[in-house]
Amino acid sequence: MLVPIKPENEKERLAAVKSYKLLDTIPESDYDNITSLVAEICEVPISLITLLDTDRNYLKSHHGIEVQESPRDISFCGHAINQEEDLFIVEDARLDPKFKNNPLIAQANSIFYAGAPLINSDGFKLGTLCVFDTKPRKLKDWQKTTLVNLSKQVVKLFELHKKNIELKEIEEELLERNIQLKNFAGLVSHDLKSPLANITSLARLLKEEYIKDLDKTAVEYVDYIEESSYTLKEYIDGMLIYYKSDELASKNKQDFNLKELLEDLDEILFVDHSEFEYPKKDIILHANRAAIFQVLMNLVGNSLKYNDHKKPLVSIHFSDDDVFYRFEVKDNGVGIDKDKQELMFELFQKGDNSDKFGKKGTGIGLATVKSLITKLGGTIKVDSKPGEGATFSFTILK
């Protein structure tokens, strides 16, 4: 018996085999369907998909036999991967010197063999798609062609399996990083809040108690410190809400009255001469109330802040169908440039406009809105022109 020699690139070939992470995996129907089909096409009792490991021939799929692996030094596949041809055929192993006294002939009655190497895009021969019979035979030309073509489909399945694993690993890594980032954001935000509150309080106290002792420049400096501390607080609060959006979106659905939710918004946000129009009739929704309230709180709040009218007007329209709840938040504010509308839902993307208090936004609020709506199975879009207000339309999956 001639023991199959190992290819010159055996180290690299083995690394390629292991990279697919198919060794010692459970049976899969995609591979078993191919071996079943090949056995029928070639009219043989046994068909295998093999991977040549360091010292064994691992059977990823086995039709007609129950073994999971066999020693590499007696394998027919070990010879097949050393050939240059697309197909290695042994019509009668009893007459071939390479297989004289091979235990597979005596123990498994392996007389006929045909194996097509499984060659990946880097040229490495990973194993074979092969067939066995217990008697001598010849394959027809169309059977040979089909066997080779199906071996290429097996390699495509290998590649797809590998890409799926890589994507899953990337997904798990991103999830872990996101968890770490959330924890970091929460920790930093919590630790910053206390000293930030002290800075704000001390700045205010300095102005109140020592205003007579400060010149104009010093007062401006203190005002700047106080204003900066408020801005930083908005960033911290915004980031906490953004990174808690997963938690908020995961809250259970409940029945609630939309009119009562909008009345709460009216009480919190609308003062002075602002006007708020919304449905005054009872409308019962079965949805995530907390998340919808946060979305509307942000959108309506923005409608009021970015509004230069003496009488700001915000209106909410609601409708639904078999699949979605549909909301529309419309205002008579300053509007949004067309080229800013696509980016405004991205984190830290801020528009050019300042609010009515002269402050720039943080670029967090609308990103939080989009994140929540997406997690609730909906979408959001904006229709606006500068000076003509804005209309935000969004859906929530029922």
Side-chain angles (χ1 to χ4, degrees), residues 52-300:
L52 271 293
D53 197 5
T54 306
D55 54 7
R56 61 173 176 159
N57 194 20
Y58 172 72
L59 312 184
K60 174 55 187 169
S61 176
H62 44 91
H63 175 86
I65 59 174
E66 294 302 321
V67 298
Q68 195 72 50
E69 60 182 53
S70 65
R72 180 173 171 176
D73 59 3
I74 64 171
S75 71
F76 286 61
C77 299
H79 292 284
I81 67 167
N82 289 323
Q83 309 302 311
E84 295 299 325
E85 296 81 8
D86 291 336
L87 197 60
F88 175 64
I89 298 178
V90 181
E91 293 181 351
D92 189 340
R94 296 169 300 183
L95 306 178
D96 192 319
K98 289 192 294 296
F99 300 100
K100 185 179 180 180
N101 299 323
N102 188 304
L104 291 177
I105 297 175
Q107 297 172 12
N109 201 22
S110 300
I111 306 300
F112 171 81
Y113 171 87
L118 302 174
I119 307 172
N120 73 0
S121 58
D122 294 321
F124 294 116
K125 296 178 180 179
L126 310 172
T128 68
L129 172 63
C130 62
V131 294
F132 283 92
D133 202 346
T134 57
K135 59 186 178 181
R137 66 179 304 117
K138 293 180 181 290
L139 291 181
K140 300 179 180 68
D141 288 343
W142 68 269
Q143 290 173 319
K144 295 177 183 178
T145 300
T146 302
L147 185 56
V148 171
N149 288 340
L150 286 174
S151 72
K152 296 175 182 177
Q153 295 304 311
V154 172
V155 174
K156 288 183 178 180
L157 284 177
F158 284 2
E159 297 292 348
L160 182 61
H161 175 85
K162 186 177 182 179
K163 288 180 180 178
N164 286 338
I165 288 178
E166 290 172 350
L167 288 173
K168 186 176 180 181
E169 289 175 348
I170 291 172
E171 182 181 357
E172 290 174 351
E173 182 180 351
L174 289 175
L175 180 61
E176 178 62 26
R177 288 186 179 184
N178 192 40
I179 292 173
Q180 292 175 354
L181 187 57
K182 280 184 180 181
N183 293 337
F184 176 75
L187 179 64
V188 171
S189 299
H190 181 271
D191 289 348
L192 284 176
K193 274 193 167 184
S194 180
L196 185 59
N198 291 337
I199 292 172
T200 305
S201 299
L202 289 172
R204 191 182 304 116
L205 180 64
L206 189 60
K207 280 179 21 179
E208 292 174 355
E209 297 293 331
Y210 300 98
I211 189 68
K212 296 179 182 179
D213 300 323
L214 301 175
D215 60 23
K216 182 179 179 181
T217 301
V219 171
E220 290 177 353
Y221 288 162
V222 174
D223 286 340
Y224 181 73
I225 292 173
E226 187 175 12
E227 181 182 342
S228 297
S229 65
Y230 279 123
T231 300
L232 185 55
K233 181 179 182 299
E234 289 182 0
Y235 270 102
I236 292 173
D237 290 341
M239 289 302 297
L240 283 174
I241 294 173
Y242 180 81
Y243 282 109
K244 287 182 178 179
S245 62
D246 282 346
E247 179 183 340
L248 191 60
S250 67
K251 289 184 179 295
N252 293 331
K253 292 182 178 181
Q254 64 182 97
D255 291 332
F256 66 92
N257 193 327
L258 178 62
K259 184 185 74 169
E260 294 177 358
L261 183 150
L262 297 175
E263 287 173 346
D264 291 342
L265 278 179
D266 193 355
E267 183 177 346
I268 294 170
L269 295 176
F270 287 85
V271 294
D272 301 330
H273 303 292
S274 304
E275 187 174 351
F276 189 29
E277 296 178 355
Y278 57 90
K280 297 300 194 295
K281 62 179 181 179
D282 293 323
I283 301 174
I284 304 301
L285 276 62
H286 184 71
N288 185 328
R289 187 187 191 280
I292 292 176
F293 184 82
Q294 182 62 52
V295 168
L296 290 173
M297 184 83 168
N298 189 288
L299 293 178
V300 174

